[in-house]
Structure formats: structure tokens, C-alpha cells
Amino acid sequence: MINDDPSARDLVAIALRSFREAILPVVPADQRFIALMIANALGVAERELAAGATAEPALAAAVGGLLGEAGDLPALLPRLCAAIDAGRFDAPDRQAALRAVLKDITLARLAVSNPKRLVAEGQGASR
């Protein structure tokens, strides 16, 4: 059966657009900060839904490659922290690989939480 209903990402995008176009312009000044926080939260949710399908598998593969393990990103990240704590990346050649993966994780998180910062640093495209 084909599901023609909008996806969660589409629904959040519709809610965000409607909020920005219809609600935000008429919000009283004393409530503007709260309204902007709501718009920001919807924007983060929209980007997170978009990124989850593309970025997470690649990051899981990169982290798994460092650890010599397979799994999804939420399961691998605590293992990576434990491996760092245990000194598995203390050797200079391992540090370079670790830094590259940590940079990728940071950029992926910024793409969701603060994409304007990536644009300011010349690392990404604006939404």
C-alpha cells in the first residue's frame, strides 16, 4: 500500500511555515521571544528529520570503522567515548583518524542545531 500522506518532515515544515507566516507576525512584543523559540525548535526538528536519513548512517560507519565494530550511531557513540577514555586513540596516527570523525560528528550536529554557523565558517549551505 502506498502512503500518500505527508511525512513527519513535511508536517513539521508545513507547521513551521504556517507559524512563521500566520502566527509570528501577530504575536505581541512581550511574547515574541517565546514565539521565536518555538519557530527555532520547529526548524531544528525539521533539519533533524532531514539529516537523520542521510548523515547518521555515514557517521555510524565512520565511528564503527574507528572502533572495529558495527552498529547504529546511538549505540556506537558511548563506545567511542569509552574507547577514548581507555586511551585507544592516544597514538598519534589514531588521533588523526579520531579528530576527523569528531569533526564530521560536530559538523553534522551543527547542520541541525545551527546551520547559520556553518555558513559563517564556510562549511555548509544555509536553510
Side-chain angles (χ1 to χ4, degrees):
M1 175 177 207
I2 295 176
N3 182 358
D4 289 331
D5 294 331
S7 67
R9 179 182 175 201
D10 293 337
L11 290 172
V12 171
I14 291 166
L16 177 57
R17 186 174 55 251
S18 299
F19 186 82
R20 284 182 176 157
E21 291 173 3
I23 306 297
L24 200 52
V26 297
V27 170
D30 64 330
Q31 296 295 310
R32 186 120 174 111
F33 180 74
I34 293 170
L36 290 171
M37 285 191 327
I38 292 167
N40 185 56
L42 287 169
V44 169
E46 179 186 23
R47 290 186 300 274
E48 189 170 303
L49 288 167
T54 56
E56 195 163 307
L59 291 172
V63 172
L66 279 178
L67 296 173
E69 302 178 24
D72 63 1
L73 194 58
L76 290 170
L77 287 177
R79 293 183 201 149
L80 178 61
C81 292
I84 293 168
D85 191 44
R88 286 184 49 196
F89 297 96
D90 288 352
D93 61 322
R94 299 281 289 158
Q95 287 178 8
L98 175 63
R99 277 194 300 274
V101 171
L102 291 176
K103 181 179 178 182
D104 290 344
I105 291 168
T106 302
L107 291 175
R109 287 183 174 175
L110 273 174
V112 170
S113 66
N114 194 354
K116 291 178 183 176
R117 180 66 181 179
L118 289 178
V119 172
E121 298 293 325
Q123 297 283 334
S126 179
R127 277 198 155 236

